[in-house]
Amino acid sequence: MIYLDQAATTAVRREVLEAMWPYLTAEFGNPSSHHEVGEAAERGLTDARARVAAALGVRASEVVFTSGGTEAANLAIKGIVLASTRGRHIVTSAIEHPAVLESCDYLERFHGAEVTVLPVDADGLVDPVAFTAALRDDTALATIMYANNEIGTVQPIAELAALAHARGVPFHTDAVQAAGWLPIDLHTLGADALSLSGHKLGAPKGIGALAVRARIPLEPVIHGGGQERGRRSGTENVAGAVALATALDLVPSSVARAGEVAALRDRFIDRVLSTVPDARLTGSRMHRLPGHASFCFPGTSGESVLLGLEARGIVCSSGSACAAGSDEPSDVLLAIGLTPEIAQTAVRFTFGSEITEAELDEVARELVDSVAAVRSLG
Ligand code: PLP
């Protein structure tokens, strides 16, 4: 099987599993317990927090472990907006993950927030001029994703964060898809808050983190025993935290191959566009995640192409995992200007740094036949 759905999730890496194992067995303690077993777990958590903080260029106290990217984004958006003294206006984009858009919607419905949803261009890029124009004196937060899960487009985060800061507006980025490939330290990005998810990086599902600068007031979303300095209650997932730290330690080796992977991706994209009649790339050609190629194949249905490829041993996706199975066309694809009919024909290939040229050549070959087979059924 060739697995090309890394944007949905990744397998747990061996090094990650080995690092977690002691915290699921001998060192199983509750880090809040004042005995030997608890203290061993506490040491594991402290060490994991320091490593995650180092990867993100923040202080250990600025890392909040969460259950994943969705919770991290919820905490960033609800937490920063509800604690803000500036007002309740939020600036975001039309192609954000539902974790962001639904959090904004919740604040609008229950907390009097006003949300400006910026459109994107045909490549999926936010216009920095429109972004600046949307910022107001009562803007509590600007939240723009680093890289899009469906179309792979990478936003100019450092530029947008600087524009937000020029107006005194805190800036959050959902870096869930970018984390395996692009710089995620808050210094380089100039962001105030950044959300991460372990399962996109070779850690298990159910662990993530929010990095948030100490100067940014944050209202907790989950209340209880006051763990994570009161910002996220609940007994800590020590093994998960160790897994996330270990996965982040391994990221530099995939980043080192990013240029090579981007070259393989470009070759694959060119080959698909030249061999599959009427194929269209979705997302930006230039500003794109290295391991991401997404297309529309007019005259097909994405689901049928996907099933055809699966029968040939190739696993990919017809859109985002969250929208998969839904009959509705993707909001992201509509936002970049595709019609609902074309949006239904989307297929996404996402891969990690271990991808080979031979694998992508095989996928490109099988894709020609799969698309032709679906079109012939008419
Ligand atoms: N943000 C983006 C861009 C994603 O792609 C995802 C997951 O697909 C999430 C947030 C949510 O992360 P999690 O699955 O860890 O809740």
Side-chain angles (χ1 to χ4, degrees), residues 44-119:
L45 184 64
T46 302
D47 176 64
R49 194 184 305 284
R51 286 153 64 204
V52 172
L56 297 172
V58 297
R59 289 201 292 263
S61 57
E62 295 174 317
V63 172
V64 184
F65 286 113
T66 66
S67 64
T70 298
E71 190 192 321
N74 270 257
L75 177 57
I77 295 162
K78 296 176 188 170
I80 293 174
V81 172
L82 292 177
S84 175
T85 51
R86 288 176 59 92
R88 294 263 158 110
H89 176 240
I90 307 169
V91 175
T92 189
S93 85
I95 60 165
E96 300 295 311
H97 189 271
V100 167
L101 291 175
E102 293 296 319
S103 293
C104 293
D105 183 60
Y106 162 81
L107 290 170
E108 204 166 39
R109 285 185 296 124
F110 294 103
H111 295 279
E114 197 189 328
V115 184
T116 300
V117 180
L118 294 170

Side-chain angles (χ1 to χ4, degrees), residues 7-9 66-73 95-100 145-150 174-178 195-200 204-208 320-322 348:
T9 199
T66 66
S67 64
T70 298
E71 190 192 321
I95 60 165
E96 300 295 311
H97 189 271
V100 167
M145 76 197 316
Y146 198 162
N148 184 270
N149 43 311
E150 289 184 54
D174 167 359
V176 166
Q177 293 292 339
S195 293
L196 274 185
S197 171
H199 75 101
K200 313 287 185 181
K205 294 153 195 68
I207 185 70
S320 73
C322 333
R348 175 186 79 175

Side-chain angles (χ1 to χ4, degrees), residues 11-377:
V12 176
R13 297 180 69 152
R14 169 177 287 278
E15 301 91 322
V16 169
L17 198 55
E18 283 172 1
M20 295 174 73
W21 182 252
Y23 297 98
L24 295 166
T25 52
E27 319 282 14
F28 63 89
N30 183 326
S32 300
S33 299
H34 296 290
H35 50 56
E36 209 181 304
V37 188
E39 281 161 12
E42 170 65 22
R43 281 194 296 277
L45 184 64
T46 302
D47 176 64
R49 194 184 305 284
R51 286 153 64 204
V52 172
L56 297 172
V58 297
R59 289 201 292 263
S61 57
E62 295 174 317
V63 172
V64 184
F65 286 113
T66 66
S67 64
T70 298
E71 190 192 321
N74 270 257
L75 177 57
I77 295 162
K78 296 176 188 170
I80 293 174
V81 172
L82 292 177
S84 175
T85 51
R86 288 176 59 92
R88 294 263 158 110
H89 176 240
I90 307 169
V91 175
T92 189
S93 85
I95 60 165
E96 300 295 311
H97 189 271
V100 167
L101 291 175
E102 293 296 319
S103 293
C104 293
D105 183 60
Y106 162 81
L107 290 170
E108 204 166 39
R109 285 185 296 124
F110 294 103
H111 295 279
E114 197 189 328
V115 184
T116 300
V117 180
L118 294 170
V120 291
D121 67 12
D123 281 352
L125 285 161
V126 170
D127 174 10
V129 175
F131 176 78
T132 309
L135 300 170
R136 311 193 315 213
D137 291 344
D138 66 340
T139 305
L141 180 70
T143 176
I144 303 288
M145 76 197 316
Y146 198 162
N148 184 270
N149 43 311
E150 289 184 54
I151 57 173
T153 298
V154 176
Q155 304 292 341
I157 291 303
E159 180 185 354
L160 297 175
L163 293 170
H165 284 169
R167 286 295 307 268
V169 175
F171 186 89
H172 164 253
T173 188
D174 167 359
V176 166
Q177 293 292 339
W181 297 113
L182 304 171
I184 49 168
D185 72 288
L186 271 73
H187 275 304
T188 308
L189 292 174
D192 300 288
L194 177 146
S195 293
L196 274 185
S197 171
H199 75 101
K200 313 287 185 181
L201 296 171
K205 294 153 195 68
I207 185 70
L210 173 68
V212 57
R213 289 297 192 189
R215 62 173 179 271
I216 306 292
L218 189 76
E219 185 62 30
V221 169
I222 296 179
H223 303 92
Q227 290 88 344
E228 299 292 294
R229 296 174 167 247
R231 293 166 301 182
R232 198 280 186 180
S233 289
T235 302
E236 300 89 337
N237 176 357
V238 180
V242 170
L244 181 61
T246 309
L248 285 172
D249 285 346
L250 297 170
V251 161
S253 61
S254 49
V255 171
R257 272 210 79 205
E260 219 176 305
V261 175
L264 293 178
R265 172 208 63 198
D266 286 342
R267 191 170 169 276
F268 174 65
I269 290 174
D270 287 337
R271 184 151 172 193
V272 171
L273 295 179
S274 62
T275 56
V276 181
D278 299 327
R280 288 196 205 172
L281 182 71
T282 60
S284 168
R285 181 86 213 218
M286 285 232 324
H287 307 284
R288 188 172 195 100
L289 284 173
H292 197 295
S294 52
F295 305 90
C296 282
F297 301 111
T300 69
S301 99
E303 278 300 319
S304 310
V305 174
L306 177 92
L307 290 175
L309 286 172
E310 192 169 356
R312 296 165 156 89
I314 295 160
V315 175
C316 59
S317 158
S318 60
S320 73
C322 333
S326 129
D327 286 338
E328 295 299 312
S330 139
D331 289 336
V332 172
L333 299 178
L334 299 182
I336 59 170
L338 301 184
T339 61
E341 294 70 39
I342 298 291
Q344 299 278 18
T345 72
V347 179
R348 175 186 79 175
F349 304 94
T350 50
F351 34 91
S353 60
E354 63 296 329
I355 193 73
T356 64
E357 188 171 332
E359 283 172 324
L360 288 179
D361 283 350
E362 183 180 335
V363 176
R365 266 196 313 277
E366 297 293 355
L367 187 59
V368 175
D369 295 344
S370 279
V371 170
V374 174
R375 283 181 175 153
S376 72
L377 294 173

